[in-house]
């Protein structure tokens, strides 16, 4: 049995659901990537601006590299019916942290390769931790095509899979690149609630809910808040509408199974989480990444979008949250929900609030009430 087949089999035994091999040669997409970064589409993800030379050529990352072994691991979890008072978490993030799961499997696969090919084999393995243009490598290795929604898509398995790679000096048997099957479809482009695709195959991350809810450390731009709906960590919409994800199967890997506490959690409970409760809820889970203040910011936006008057008392209590970022978004949420109780709470908070960022949001929220009153008065006249 060839070494390539042995590695392929071992990877499957370890739970990888896709594996392909491609030469570790320079990537044509590096120029597109540099342009994408220059356009500002990476937002605050400044780490994406670094090591462009290594991204272009895997041999600069792993000297002597000949092969990139690209691996995929399915993560799909069915999404339960939702309602406005419950938040949605992207389905990759409702179980254990995939970095931890995949890193262990990669270490095992690497150990197997050293045993099988010889201890002097050189290489490194990565899951989201290195400057690698992994989607292009994986496309070249036959794992799928770069879709108009910028996800990698496989005709049979759809797009709900993580990517990882091993770059090594071994010479192995190579796969054929996957051709594009998007055709004339535009479903993902049409469905995106924040218009995050300036053109097909290009994502402006600064408008994407995944970026806004996870990577952005500051205030969410006001014009994008309503588009976030009840997504509180990530967003699956452009994958859900893709015809190649028509009948996704739940991932076989048990670590990714949705935790019941993260399947549409109650927004009213989440906005009340203190530090300990937050850490308990997201232990070994990826949704802890924005930290408590970023996560509660997202929850406040979702409550503002809920249209649910029963959220008002809980939001009023959250106007006293210790984090200015949370208070600012709670003020916005109260402005969206409206009503006398909300207005009085905003006015009261304005008398004591010292943070400029929060004061601006309180004043903006009160402007909405003012405008409504003006409209009503004008209508009566
Ligand atoms: Fe748009 Fe959501 Fe896809 Fe981001 S993840 S591009 S917000 S549909
Ligand atoms: Fe391609 Fe259509 Fe899927 Fe978008 S929804 S990635 S256009 S097949």
């Amino acid at each position: 049995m060839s070494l390539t087949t042995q590695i392929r089999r071992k990877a499957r035994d370890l739970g990888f659901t896709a594996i392909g091999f491609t030469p570790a040669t320079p990537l044509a997409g590096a120029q597109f990537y540099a342009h994408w970064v220059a356009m500002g589409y990476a937002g605050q993800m400044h780490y994406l601006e670094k090591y462009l030379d290594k991204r272009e050529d895997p041999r600069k990352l792993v000297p002597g590299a000949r092969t990139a072994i690209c691996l995929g691991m399915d993560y799909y979890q069915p999404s339960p019916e939702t309602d406005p008072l419950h938040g949605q978490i992207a389905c990759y993030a409702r179980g254990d942290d995939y970095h931890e799961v995949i890193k262990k499997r990669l270490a095992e696969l690497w150990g197997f390769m050293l045993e099988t090919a010889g201890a002097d084999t050189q290489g490194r393995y990565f899951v989201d931790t290195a400057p690698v243009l992994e989607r292009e490598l994986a496309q070249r290795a036959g794992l799928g095509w770069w879709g108009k929604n910028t996800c990698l898509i496989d005709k049979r398995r759809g797009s709900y899979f993580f990517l990882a790679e091993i770059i090594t000096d071994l010479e192995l048997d190579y796969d054929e690149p996957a051709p594009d099957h998007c055709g004339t479809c535009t479903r993902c482009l049409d469905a995106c609630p924040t218009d995050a695709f300036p053109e097909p195959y290009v994502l402006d991350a600064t408008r994407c809910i995944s970026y806004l809810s996870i990577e952005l450390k500051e205030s969410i731009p006001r014009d994008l808040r309503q588009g976030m709906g009840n997504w509180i960590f990530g967003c699956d919409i452009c994958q859900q509408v893709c015809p190649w994800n028509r009948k996704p199967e739940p991932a076989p890997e048990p670590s990714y199974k949705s935790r019941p506490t993260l399947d549409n959690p109650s927004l009213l409970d989440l906005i009340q989480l203190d530090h300990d409760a937050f850490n308990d809820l997201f232990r070994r889970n990826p949704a802890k990444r924005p930290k408590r203040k970023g996560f509660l910011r997202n929850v406040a936006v979702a409550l503002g979008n809920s249209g649910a008057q029963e959220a008002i008392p809980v939001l009023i209590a959250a106007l006293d949250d210790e984090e200015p970022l949370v208070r600012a978004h709670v003020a916005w949420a109260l402005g969206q929900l409206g009503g006398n109780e909300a207005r009085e709470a905003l006015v009261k908070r304005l008398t004591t609030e010292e943070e400029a960022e929060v004061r601006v949001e309180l004043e903006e929220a009160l402007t909405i009430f003012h405008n409504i009153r003006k409209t009503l008065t004008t209508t009566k006249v």
Side-chain angles (χ1 to χ4, degrees):
M1 193 191 301
S2 73
L3 181 56
T4 305
T5 306
Q6 289 182 68
I7 295 171
R8 205 181 282 280
R9 287 197 177 172
K10 183 66 183 178
R12 297 254 176 220
D13 291 348
L14 287 168
F16 290 104
T17 39
I19 175 162
F21 301 80
T22 187
T25 48
L27 293 152
Q31 234 180 338
F32 165 82
Y33 180 84
H35 178 66
W36 181 80
V37 170
M39 290 293 287
Y41 291 154
Q44 289 184 349
M45 297 184 285
H46 298 300
Y47 55 91
L48 295 178
E49 297 163 9
K50 294 182 185 162
Y51 309 117
L52 291 180
D53 58 331
K54 292 192 170 88
R55 292 179 200 276
E56 181 178 15
D57 188 349
R59 294 170 302 190
K60 292 197 174 133
L61 189 63
V62 181
R66 289 200 183 89
T67 301
I69 306 175
C70 298
L71 299 139
M73 194 180 274
D74 293 355
Y75 63 74
Y76 179 73
Q77 298 297 314
S79 297
E81 285 288 308
T82 183
D83 65 71
L85 276 176
H86 288 81
Q88 295 194 77
I89 293 177
C91 72
Y92 80 84
R94 297 187 212 135
D96 291 350
D97 191 332
Y98 67 95
H99 296 95
E100 292 173 25
V101 176
I102 293 182
K103 210 166 157 193
K104 279 188 200 139
R105 308 294 167 84
L106 285 171
E108 274 195 63
L109 184 56
W110 180 242
F112 171 82
M113 286 172 60
L114 291 178
E115 266 173 39
T116 318
D120 58 345
T121 304
Q122 300 295 311
R124 288 172 67 188
Y125 51 83
F126 313 101
V127 51
D128 267 5
T129 47
V132 182
L133 296 185
E134 60 178 8
R135 263 174 296 175
E136 187 180 348
L137 273 178
Q139 186 269 335
R140 259 181 20 187
L143 263 63
W145 72 93
W146 178 299
K148 289 181 191 172
N149 62 2
T150 72
C151 295
L152 206 72
I153 309 171
D154 174 72
K155 264 176 107 171
R156 200 168 40 86
R157 294 187 355 270
S159 63
Y160 293 107
F161 57 94
F162 299 118
L163 288 174
E165 44 287 321
I166 297 177
I167 298 179
T168 172
D169 65 350
L170 291 174
E171 186 123 17
L172 297 163
D173 305 328
Y174 300 128
D175 291 286
E176 288 296 315
D180 188 329
H181 290 282
C182 278
T184 56
C185 176
T186 57
R187 282 191 203 188
C188 54
L189 312 179
D190 302 337
C192 176
T194 49
D195 285 330
F197 299 109
E199 56 185 294
Y201 305 102
V202 181
L203 176 73
D204 176 356
T206 66
R207 296 187 66 86
C208 172
I209 296 169
S210 292
Y211 169 84
L212 297 171
S213 61
I214 302 170
E215 301 293 340
L216 183 67
K217 306 286 175 256
E218 299 155 3
S219 208
I220 293 170
R222 267 188 224 121
D223 63 325
L224 297 177
R225 293 178 192 168
Q226 286 180 342
M228 292 177 74
N230 65 343
W231 289 98
I232 51 174
F233 185 91
C235 166
D236 286 329
I237 294 174
C238 56
Q239 297 197 83
Q240 287 168 342
V241 300
C242 179
W244 299 103
N245 284 330
R246 204 172 285 131
K247 287 184 194 154
E249 292 287 328
E253 171 55 53
S255 315
Y256 302 143
K257 196 168 163 34
S258 293
R259 298 178 187 174
T261 48
L262 300 180
D263 245 351
N264 281 357
S266 157
L267 295 171
L268 297 179
D269 292 344
L270 292 176
I271 198 72
Q272 300 181 68
L273 288 176
D274 61 18
H275 286 277
D276 289 345
F278 177 83
N279 290 335
D280 282 348
L281 187 61
F282 295 113
R283 201 169 301 283
R284 295 178 47 244
N285 173 271
K288 65 178 174 299
R289 186 171 164 84
K291 304 203 170 78
R292 177 185 176 275
K293 68 175 179 180
F295 190 82
L296 263 61
R297 166 200 65 184
N298 304 340
V299 173
V301 170
L303 281 169
N305 290 331
S306 70
Q309 296 298 301
E310 58 262 52
I312 289 175
V314 181
L315 282 167
I316 290 174
L319 270 182
D320 292 331
D321 193 276
E322 67 189 59
E323 291 290 350
L325 187 68
V326 176
R327 297 200 298 278
H329 289 74
V330 165
W332 177 84
L334 284 166
Q336 297 298 300
L337 295 178
N340 279 339
E341 205 187 345
R343 189 180 58 79
E344 280 163 22
L346 290 166
V347 170
K348 187 167 165 224
R349 182 74 215 182
L350 199 51
T351 61
T352 55
E353 180 61 59
E354 289 179 355
E355 291 287 337
E357 167 196 16
V358 188
R359 291 189 66 82
V360 169
E361 290 286 353
L362 288 163
E363 281 159 5
E364 277 289 329
L366 285 166
T367 309
I368 300 176
F369 289 93
H370 180 71
N371 289 344
I372 292 172
R373 186 172 295 169
K374 215 163 119 189
T375 312
L376 288 175
T377 316
T378 316
T379 313
K380 270 184 201 160
V381 171

